[in-house]
Amino acid sequence: MQLNWHTIFPRVENEFYYLACSGGVDSMVLCYLMHQAKLPFEILHVNFHLRDKASDRDEALVVEYAKQLDIKVHIQHFDTLKIHQEEGGNLENICRDLRYSWFDTFLTENPHSKLVVGHHLDDQIETFYLQLARKAGIVGLSSMNVVNGRTLRPLLDFSKQAIYAFAQNHHIPWREDHSNAENDFTRNKLRNVFIPFLEENIPTLKDSILTVINAFQTTKTTLINELQSENLLSDHFELDTLLYQSWNVDKKHIFLHLLNIRSSTFDELEKLIHSDIGKYIEIDDWFISKKKDSLAFDKIEAAILPALRLENVSELPASFSRDVVYLDASKINGDLQLRKWQEGDKLAAIGVNGSKLVSKIINEAHLSAYEKRKVLVLTDAETILWIVGIKVGRHAVAKADAGEILKISVQDPTM
């Protein structure tokens, strides 16, 4: 295949591109190709300050080349070592998260834009081995796609050797990251030791791996289309447990992938299916609970409490709603507060002697496990006055002869 943008990607009208350019040969070749194709694009460069003056020289090269081509360049600096010291964790993952979080700010601002990155064929092989070592399922072993949402990898079918040759033939400048030659990281050990050894002794291995990756990608695409055609997925849905158990392992992994749930949590979901009704797990922004014949999937929303809406009224209504409570202002002690219910909370409800645990009252309301965790209570400085939408307490409830009646409801925070 000829290394030319028009043979890699057809041009899309009104589409804008952001090129992630490190100064390495891959991204510099992409910069050349995109400029030759007269594509509308800007350059994004991240300086992690991990290699002393070398990091600044990378930045200087990108800025100078962008100036020659008359391309706008954006630079982002990170004190990466300080962030690593404060947060801990894997340095490679921190760098990846930092740069892609920054890239996303540009994609968010420009909905018709795509991110172009320089992954190539050798990266694809390395990714396969890394995923294999992590016991990945079909999603991981299918490795990278040329098009993944709004991210494009135009060089994914080209070897590093071919990219070097192209850069030399077209006098494209680049800088080598000499840390790639060090074997401190697993990926570098794969690149510099393990993969060269295997390919020297088994010359056909690379082609075999690419064939396997292609097969995984084909299967992955087929299963994604199947799941999307079944219209199961939304922010709140139920999945029949028998249907789920009828799927093969690959389809289950793709299902988790579409929900952005880590495949490493696969076993937890399997255990939940065989657990008691009402059991639940919280995984990657999802609340998943066991019902009689299904699993309920609820996307965990940001914890934003609704606002209280207070209104003075002169009399009680002819009929009442569970979504509104009427309190006698003279019986309220201190400030009103809206909060999530807690274990041990009690309510002295209207028409009941004594008090009762809020947890029991919620259970009697036959709510799902996800709905239970979202229940709110209204309190004053001493007492729970209302389980919102469920039960009113008798402590401060207004009677017809109350001097000052407060009508209280909660306002949807999204309104």
Side-chain angles (χ1 to χ4, degrees):
M1 184 186 297
Q2 185 181 0
L3 192 49
N4 179 295
W5 182 272
H6 297 297
T7 63
I8 300 171
F9 279 106
R11 182 164 182 173
V12 178
E13 290 298 323
N14 301 318
E15 194 165 84
F16 191 84
Y17 302 91
Y18 291 104
L19 169 64
C21 186
S22 65
V25 65
D26 321 307
S27 54
M28 294 296 282
V29 164
L30 276 175
C31 190
Y32 173 87
L33 291 173
M34 294 174 73
H35 180 259
Q36 289 293 106
K38 296 181 169 54
L39 297 177
F41 76 101
E42 294 175 2
I43 293 172
L44 307 179
H45 176 81
V46 179
N47 188 335
F48 291 108
H49 294 282
L50 289 174
R51 296 182 294 115
D52 299 323
K53 293 181 179 179
S55 294
D56 295 330
R57 294 190 186 107
D58 293 346
E59 178 184 327
L61 173 67
V62 172
V63 170
E64 177 59 29
Y65 196 57
K67 184 177 180 181
Q68 291 178 25
L69 302 182
D70 194 27
I71 302 297
K72 185 174 182 179
V73 59
H74 304 268
I75 307 293
Q76 177 66 37
H77 294 262
F78 289 111
D79 188 345
T80 314
L81 289 179
K82 181 180 179 182
I83 295 171
H84 185 221
Q85 289 171 355
E86 292 175 349
E87 298 183 2
N90 181 283
L91 184 59
E92 282 186 298
N93 290 341
I94 288 174
C95 290
R96 184 188 185 284
D97 292 343
L98 286 172
R99 67 175 176 267
Y100 277 98
S101 178
W102 183 58
F103 296 159
D104 284 344
T105 62
F106 291 89
L107 297 179
T108 300
E109 290 174 2
N110 189 346
H112 298 290
S113 63
K114 296 288 177 67
L115 176 69
V116 181
V117 295
H119 294 127
H120 49 75
L121 192 64
D122 297 60
D123 292 325
Q124 183 79 311
I125 299 293
E126 291 168 13
T127 299
F128 176 84
Y129 279 116
L130 284 170
Q131 294 295 339
L132 189 65
R134 293 168 184 162
K135 300 181 180 179
I138 184 173
V139 176
L141 294 176
S142 64
S143 303
M144 297 181 284
N145 293 93
V146 175
V147 179
N148 182 23
R150 295 174 66 183
T151 300
L152 309 181
R153 298 183 176 92
L155 302 180
L156 206 55
D157 291 329
F158 297 89
S159 69
K160 187 82 168 186
Q161 184 178 2
I163 295 168
Y164 273 131
F166 185 89
Q168 291 168 346
N169 290 338
H170 292 82
H171 309 290
I172 301 169
W174 78 86
R175 281 182 52 79
E176 288 290 348
D177 181 351
H178 294 290
S179 66
N180 288 334
E182 300 170 359
N183 293 326
D184 296 337
F185 299 110
T186 301
R187 183 179 282 274
N188 285 10
K189 290 177 182 177
L190 280 171
R191 178 185 299 140
N192 302 325
V193 181
F194 183 73
I195 294 176
F197 172 81
L198 286 176
E199 292 183 351
E200 181 181 349
N201 289 276
I202 312 174
T204 59
L205 187 61
K206 177 183 284 188
D207 288 339
S208 296
I209 288 174
L210 292 175
T211 300
V212 170
I213 290 173
N214 183 63
F216 277 130
Q217 289 188 351
T218 300
T219 303
K220 175 182 169 184
T221 300
T222 299
L223 293 175
I224 287 174
N225 290 336
E226 280 184 20
L227 285 164
Q228 290 177 336
S229 68
E230 291 171 6
N231 295 317
L232 289 171
L233 310 177
S234 65
D235 285 350
H236 304 279
F237 68 95
E238 289 190 19
L239 174 62
D240 185 279
T241 50
L242 290 179
L243 174 62
Y244 178 80
Q245 290 174 303
S246 72
W247 295 345
N248 62 32
V249 173
D250 287 341
K251 189 166 183 176
K252 290 177 180 179
H253 278 288
I254 294 296
F255 171 73
L256 294 178
H257 170 67
L258 291 175
L259 296 179
N260 289 319
I261 296 177
R262 289 165 291 138
S263 60
S264 59
T265 63
F266 177 85
D267 290 341
E268 293 182 56
L269 196 60
E270 293 289 318
K271 289 178 183 177
L272 183 63
I273 283 181
H274 301 288
S275 64
D276 296 332
I277 295 172
K279 296 290 185 181
Y280 64 86
I281 54 177
E282 293 187 44
I283 301 175
D284 293 339
D285 298 328
W286 285 93
F287 184 93
I288 311 170
S289 55
K290 175 68 183 301
K291 303 184 80 172
K292 183 180 179 182
D293 299 312
S294 65
L295 293 177
F297 287 77
D298 294 283
K299 193 73 178 287
I300 298 174
E301 299 158 359
I304 302 175
L305 288 177
L308 281 175
R309 180 179 294 166
L310 308 179
E311 181 183 352
N312 286 304
V313 296
S314 58
E315 59 183 17
L316 296 175
S319 59
F320 295 89
S321 164
R322 289 185 176 182
D323 298 322
V324 179
V325 65
Y326 294 85
L327 300 182
D328 185 335
S330 67
K331 296 180 180 179
I332 298 173
N333 296 313
D335 295 331
L336 292 172
Q337 177 192 3
L338 193 64
R339 64 168 173 81
K340 288 187 175 181
W341 74 278
Q342 302 167 358
E343 290 293 342
D345 282 345
K346 290 185 177 181
L347 178 78
I350 295 174
V352 178
N353 292 326
S355 59
K356 194 172 186 178
L357 286 170
V358 169
S359 59
K360 288 189 175 181
I361 296 173
I362 292 173
N363 285 334
E364 291 168 358
H366 302 295
L367 303 178
S368 70
Y370 181 68
E371 290 170 331
K372 288 177 184 177
R373 72 192 298 275
K374 295 175 65 178
V375 170
L376 302 174
V377 294
L378 178 68
T379 75
D380 61 13
E382 298 178 353
T383 311
I384 293 177
L385 308 174
W386 181 33
I387 305 175
V388 178
I390 298 176
K391 189 80 71 174
V392 179
R394 62 178 181 270
H395 175 76
V397 67
K399 297 181 180 179
D401 59 353
E404 182 182 354
I405 300 174
L406 276 180
K407 177 184 177 183
I408 304 175
S409 59
V410 295
Q411 183 175 337
D412 187 338
T414 62
M415 298 295 286

